[in-house]
Amino acid sequence: MEIGPYSVTAEGVVSLVRHVTDSMRVRSRGIPALPGDNPVELAGEVLRRNARKVLLAASGHLRYMWVTDFGKAFRGAEKVLPLTYLRDLLDYMVRESRRLGRAPSCFSRRRGFDAPYWRGDNLPWLVISMAEYCRWTGMGLTKECALSLQWLLDDYCRRHFADGLIADSVTGDWMDTIMRPSSTYNNVCCLRMLSDAVFLGLDAPADPKTLEAELLRVRWRGDHFVDCSVGDEMGVDAGVYALYFGLFKKDLREALVKRIEREGLTRPSPMRAHQGRHDHRLMPPLTRFSPDYHNAVWPHLGLAYLNGLKRLGRDYAGHKAAVEAVVMKHRNFVEVLDPEGGLYTTWGHSSDYGLTMAAGLYLELALD
C-alpha cells in the first residue's frame, strides 16, 4: 500500500516507532560505547554485531538491511565477515529482487520491501556489490544469478532511463528525506553499475559511454556536478562517488576535490552532504519534522570521499584523523552530526549508531 510517496509496510511502521523510541534513548543515555582500543577494532565490532540473519544497517533504529548501505560497507565487510555469509546475502537479495520484479530498498530476514519508498540506487549497489565479491574471490556468477541479474538490469534500464540519463520520475536515493528527480548521484551509481555488469559477463542494457557523455554534457559545471535535474545546486554526493568509483578523467576528479575543499564541505568531521538547505519543494511530508537531516554532516560520506582521495593519490591524513576523533569520542560509528559536530538530534529523530556503512568504509580506508 502507498500513501502519497510512501510505501506503507509493517516493517516501515516498526521503523517509525523505533526512530522515536531510539531518539528518546539517545537523548537520555547517549550513544552506547563499544569495546575496542582503536577505530579499526571498533569498526570490526560494529560489523560483527550487525551481522545477523541480514546485515543490519545500524544498531539503533535502522535494524533492517538497506541494499545501498550493504554495498557501501562491502569492501570493509570483506575483511572481517565470512565470505560465505556475504555471498549468501547477495544471493538472497538477487533471488528476492527477481521475485519482486525490482531490487527493493530494504530486506528483513523474511522478505524485501521498500522503506520509505523505492530508490534508484538499489539495483546499482546490488550489482556493484556482486562485482566486488567476484573480484575479491575470483569466482563468477551462477547461471541462475546471472539470468536474474540480467532480467533486473534490462527491466531497470527499460523503465528508468530517458534521453540518456535516469528519468525525472526516479526521485528516490540514499537521501531518502529528499525526493530529487534524476539525482546525479543515482546517475553516477548507474554508470558504475553498467561497467560492473560488463565485468560480470552480463549485457549492459544501456551504453556506459553514452551515459558518461550525457552526464558531462548536462550535469557538469566545470568543477562540480549539479545535484539533480532541477536547480543548479552542487551535487556533493555525486562528486564524492565519482571520486570513490574512480570515474571520469583524472583532471575532472582533481577539479572536484579542489571545489569540495574550497567550499569547506569537509568541515567539521568530513563531510557535509549539501550546501545550504534543500529546496522545500523536494521534501515529502515527514521530512518537515527533520528538514536538515540530509543537509547535515555524514561521516560515511566523508569516508567515501577519503577513499576517493586515496585512490587519486591525494593526502587524506588530516581528514582521517578528524573522523577518527569522532569515532573515539563516541567509541562508536555514528550516522550523522549537526553542523557544529555534535550528534544530530530532533524531538523525534536522532543519529543512529553502529552504522554499518561508516564502519565498512573506514575499514576499506584503513586496511585496503
Side-chain angles (χ1 to χ4, degrees):
M1 185 173 81
E2 294 185 356
I3 298 178
Y6 298 107
S7 299
V8 180
T9 63
E11 295 90 346
V13 172
V14 169
S15 287
L16 278 175
V17 173
R18 283 178 178 157
H19 270 74
V20 175
T21 56
D22 194 49
S23 179
M24 295 169 61
R25 186 183 304 116
V26 168
R27 287 202 304 272
S28 63
R29 302 178 191 173
I31 296 290
L34 297 177
D37 295 329
N38 55 63
V40 169
E41 292 181 6
L42 292 171
E45 185 73 13
V46 165
L47 291 171
R48 284 186 287 269
R49 288 189 180 207
N50 289 348
R52 310 290 183 85
K53 295 290 185 180
V54 293
L55 183 58
L56 305 181
S59 303
H61 52 266
L62 298 173
R63 296 181 66 80
Y64 295 111
M65 179 169 67
W66 269 257
V67 62
T68 55
D69 295 47
F70 176 92
K72 291 171 184 179
F74 197 88
R75 288 182 66 138
E78 289 172 328
K79 295 162 177 50
V80 295
L81 299 179
L83 289 176
T84 52
Y85 169 77
L86 295 173
R87 181 59 191 248
D88 286 347
L89 289 179
L90 285 167
D91 287 342
Y92 165 54
M93 286 189 281
V94 171
R95 287 195 309 272
E96 182 66 359
S97 297
R98 181 64 183 90
R99 183 186 73 82
L100 292 170
R102 72 189 187 285
S105 301
C106 299
F107 294 84
S108 70
R109 62 189 178 91
R110 294 187 178 90
R111 70 183 190 117
F113 60 96
D114 292 320
Y117 34 68
W118 179 82
R119 297 172 8 173
D121 54 347
N122 295 339
L123 183 63
W125 280 106
L126 180 54
V127 173
I128 291 164
S129 302
M130 186 64 81
E132 172 57 28
Y133 175 85
C134 292
R135 286 190 186 95
W136 182 261
T137 62
M139 298 176 63
L141 300 177
T142 65
K143 182 178 180 180
E144 179 185 5
C145 183
L147 288 171
S148 294
L149 280 178
Q150 188 67 64
W151 187 93
L152 290 164
L153 281 161
D154 290 344
D155 184 71
Y156 183 99
C157 292
R158 182 175 62 252
R159 288 176 180 269
H160 303 305
F161 271 70
D163 299 323
L165 295 173
I166 296 295
D168 284 358
S169 58
V170 177
T171 57
D173 57 41
W174 82 274
M175 281 194 185
D176 55 11
T177 66
I178 309 295
M179 301 190 76
R180 301 184 289 176
S182 185
S183 69
T184 307
Y185 158 84
N186 266 351
N187 282 277
V188 166
C189 290
C190 282
L191 179 55
R192 178 58 185 262
M193 172 181 73
L194 294 172
S195 298
D196 277 347
V198 174
F199 166 78
L200 289 168
L202 303 171
D203 294 327
D207 179 21
K209 291 183 179 179
T210 299
L211 176 55
E212 179 176 342
E214 281 300 289
L215 278 169
L216 293 174
R217 186 181 71 84
V218 178
R219 303 291 176 88
W220 179 244
R221 297 294 185 270
D223 61 2
H224 70 282
F225 289 104
V226 295
D227 195 42
C228 61
S229 66
V230 298
D232 203 41
E233 293 86 358
M234 178 182 179
V236 178
D237 54 353
V240 165
Y241 277 95
L243 284 167
Y244 178 78
F245 292 139
L247 299 174
F248 307 102
K249 293 182 178 179
K250 184 177 180 181
D251 59 350
L252 181 147
R253 284 178 278 136
E254 292 280 5
L256 282 168
V257 170
K258 290 177 182 177
R259 177 63 185 268
I260 287 170
E261 296 289 341
R262 187 170 73 246
E263 296 293 337
L265 292 167
T266 57
R267 300 186 299 273
S269 169
M271 63 184 302
R272 287 189 286 128
H274 192 68
Q275 287 182 304
R277 301 184 71 175
H278 281 95
D279 187 332
H280 73 277
R281 292 171 294 182
L282 302 181
M283 297 181 183
L286 291 178
T287 302
R288 308 305 169 88
F289 294 102
S290 191
D292 292 320
Y293 181 54
H294 278 112
N295 300 326
V297 176
W298 289 77
H300 91 272
L301 188 64
L303 285 162
Y305 175 65
L306 301 194
N307 276 291
L309 289 182
K310 184 178 181 180
R311 291 185 185 116
L312 194 56
R314 296 286 295 261
D315 177 58
Y316 59 92
H319 293 325
K320 180 171 179 278
V323 174
E324 290 172 338
V326 172
V327 172
M328 296 311 295
K329 175 183 176 181
H330 297 288
R331 300 194 60 79
N332 211 317
F333 280 81
V334 299
E335 178 193 20
V336 60
L337 305 170
D338 65 28
E340 286 71 48
L343 286 177
Y344 180 88
T345 304
T346 68
W347 70 269
H349 184 200
S350 66
S351 172
D352 212 333
Y353 45 87
L355 198 74
T356 287
M357 59 181 168
L361 283 160
Y362 177 79
L363 287 179
E364 179 183 350
L365 181 70
L367 302 181
D368 259 5

